[in-house]
Amino acid sequence: MQTEPGDPPGSGNSGESPSGPLAIEARGLVKRFDGTLAVDGVDLSVPEGSIYGILGPNGAGKTTTLRMLLGIIDPDEGFRRVLGHERPHDVARLIGYLPEERGLYPSMKAYEAIAFMGALRGLQLKLGRERGRELLETHGLGHAAERQIRQLSKGMAQTVQLLGTLVHKPQLVVLDEPFSGLDALNQGKLERMIRGLAEEGTTVIFSTHVIAHAERLCERIAIIAGGRVPFAGRVDTARDRIPPQVRLETRAQQGPWRGALPADARREGSFWHFSLPESGIEPLLRALIEGEAGILSLSIERAGLHDAFIAIAGEAAARALGTEAGEGEQA
Amino acid sequence: MSAAGRAEGRLSLRQAAYVIARRDFTAILFSRTFIFFLLGPLFPLIVGALAGGIGQQVAAEGGAPQIGVAMEGPRADAMLAAHAHLAPELGSALPDMIELKRLAPGESYNARRVLDERRGNLAAIVTGTPERPVLTGTEERIAHWQGPVALVAAQALRRMPTDFPEVALEKVATSGAKERSGRMSTAQAGQTLLFLLIMLLAGMVLSNLVEEKGNKIIEVLAAAIPMDAVFLGKLFAMLAVSMVGIAAWASVIGGLILLAGPAGPLGAQLQDLPTPGVGWPLFILLGVVYFAMGYLLLGSIFLAIGSMAATVREVQTLSMPVTMLQLLVFFFSSFALTQTGRPIELAAIAFPLSSPFAMLGRAATDEALWPHALALAWQVLAVAVFIRLGAALFRKRVMKSGPQGARKRRGLIALLKAQRDGP
């Protein structure tokens, strides 16, 4: 199957398409490794200047998708356009990439490593060295500029690589699992850095298996599970897939008002939990008051991204995601 | 996309290859690896010298093979006297002769049984009489000594002149025979040096790539520049490193000659070296060019192998057949030296991997230059094809053989185990 630009997105991908210019557009990307389908018809539309998250458990196809978008590997089927170009290497100077498996030359000095990564993207070595020192200074690693990579801690080396990803001032930054291996403090720093990039107009796309990062940072996400994208669109739209959740506490346990509760209402302790009915909260409120239920508390909460993820990708994917996130946090 | 737009958006293949080559070149030049590379040629020299010395000592201690004489007393005396008379004239062409047993008249002697006892350095036994000598020994010994023994017997019977005219000796520096033999030695030495250097370098470029895969840098490179550029950069960086190494060696040797002067021992030895067919300057130049060709051909193969391997062990497994093949190619080229103008030599020249070796051999033994022009054109073509194929394989395989591949294989093994064990 050869998908062309402008084709409608895949059937499972029901998020609305962004209207502005796109930094990345992909339609029907397919990749097989030795006959195994790793990515099966991925559609993505990443608006320019946005922070875009690709969310999914390990093995879902996130890294393969990113590699295809960057031209590291070519898709077997489908179409991709990155910064207006169908061959990502043609705009390599405008892209910064932090792979999941971090890699630096152990014998290189920190500022040299940054300069080298810039040189790969067309930055003059001299300028790269100057910027490398500046970036290290700005991010509190000025003292490590002359140290060899092998002499740095894992977190410091990871920061050096991230700075190398940014040294040539790219228009598009692609980060594969950027938070993995970072402690809470450095995760916070990275979140601030990503927000800062977006404020400067840089498009940031990152993959993660930690929902909280995507929820805090992204305007738009794509959920990947089993090589497919069942959802791609605004985070709010994903949440709206699930009706708001109502939590009700009453003084009375029984009464005619019980008949007004929705069918999915379940009792946990003294609380009732149920989805907000399509007719709204008013008819229920009326029934509760007239039936003298004695309302002690009533809250309507919008669904979280985690619940949306379960609804979209399924319990199994959510469980896998939860396990990995837990493992990641423990690590 | 327009060419201008492309130039703005990405590095050209040449620029990208230069970035990789510059990094690799400086990294290797200032590493311990380069020291090993510089010292590398010393090891075979030291091993060769040690082996030669030990061999000489063993040969000296083992002693020369001897012919035993077992004849009746006066006949044995006549044979030994004849040997003593001829030995100063014939030198090493005449084997040592010792008295084994003085036989009584009519006494028989079983030479086969004595030789079966494997005494000392006894290699053959002469029995019978000088008129009818019988030489007993292994096939190659009796074939070799048949003539000398007949000569000694003839002398014992006084059928030869007793006085030999003195031959006046006039030395010349060389002759056709000596020059040919010397040029063959130069060709063999050149081929051996070429082989050692190429194998050393190809191994270095391979371990450099494996290290890079181990460091996970390869994905950073693959995302930024075409894989062809990584391939070319690595290949030519190592070539440049080797040129620095060769220049360093040439400087050291040149410096030593200058220090010692042309009359010094090293200078004198070098002056005694037979001039190669194409002359020394051209021979050295061709040596460097053929080295570059040979390295680029083998380096392309090794880099392609490196792209397929995930671990050092896999690299060793995959590169072993190529190393063996290259060893065979080296022996083939050495053999082709003795087959000048025959189909075997032409085959060695035509086969890309043996062509640089065969042609260096030819440069040492033959004056003609046009075959080098033809062979170099052919080798350049082969290098282009090898690099193209190697880079294509590298591009296709290098991102599929990392730790993820290993994880997948482990996953497959786990799946197979689960299938076997059942639910």
Side-chain angles (χ1 to χ4, degrees), chain B residues 23 57 68 71-72 90 142 233 263 383 420:
Chain B
R23 203 295 314 176
Q57 199 174 348
M71 290 182 181
E72 284 180 22
L90 296 178
I142 56 178
V383 164
R420 188 197 59 196

Side-chain angles (χ1 to χ4, degrees), chain A residues 33 67 72 85 87 89-93 97 99 101-106 108 116 119-122 125 161, chain B residues 1 6-11 19-20 22-23 212 215-217 219-225 399 403-404 408:
Chain A
F33 291 116
R67 284 178 176 176
I72 297 172
H85 296 269
R87 292 190 345 170
H89 271 130
D90 284 349
V91 281
R93 284 187 177 194
Y97 173 52
E101 292 184 331
R102 317 281 188 255
L104 292 165
Y105 291 107
M108 261 190 178
F116 172 70
L120 287 172
R121 303 281 180 179
L125 204 56
Q161 186 160 6
Chain B
M1 187 184 194
R6 193 175 297 126
E8 191 184 308
R10 71 168 193 193
L11 294 177
V19 170
I20 297 295
R22 182 178 56 193
R23 203 295 314 176
E212 216 145 89
N215 289 339
K216 321 278 186 337
I217 292 160
E219 191 169 354
V220 176
L221 306 181
I225 54 176
M399 285 310 297
Q404 284 199 331
K408 273 180 193 160

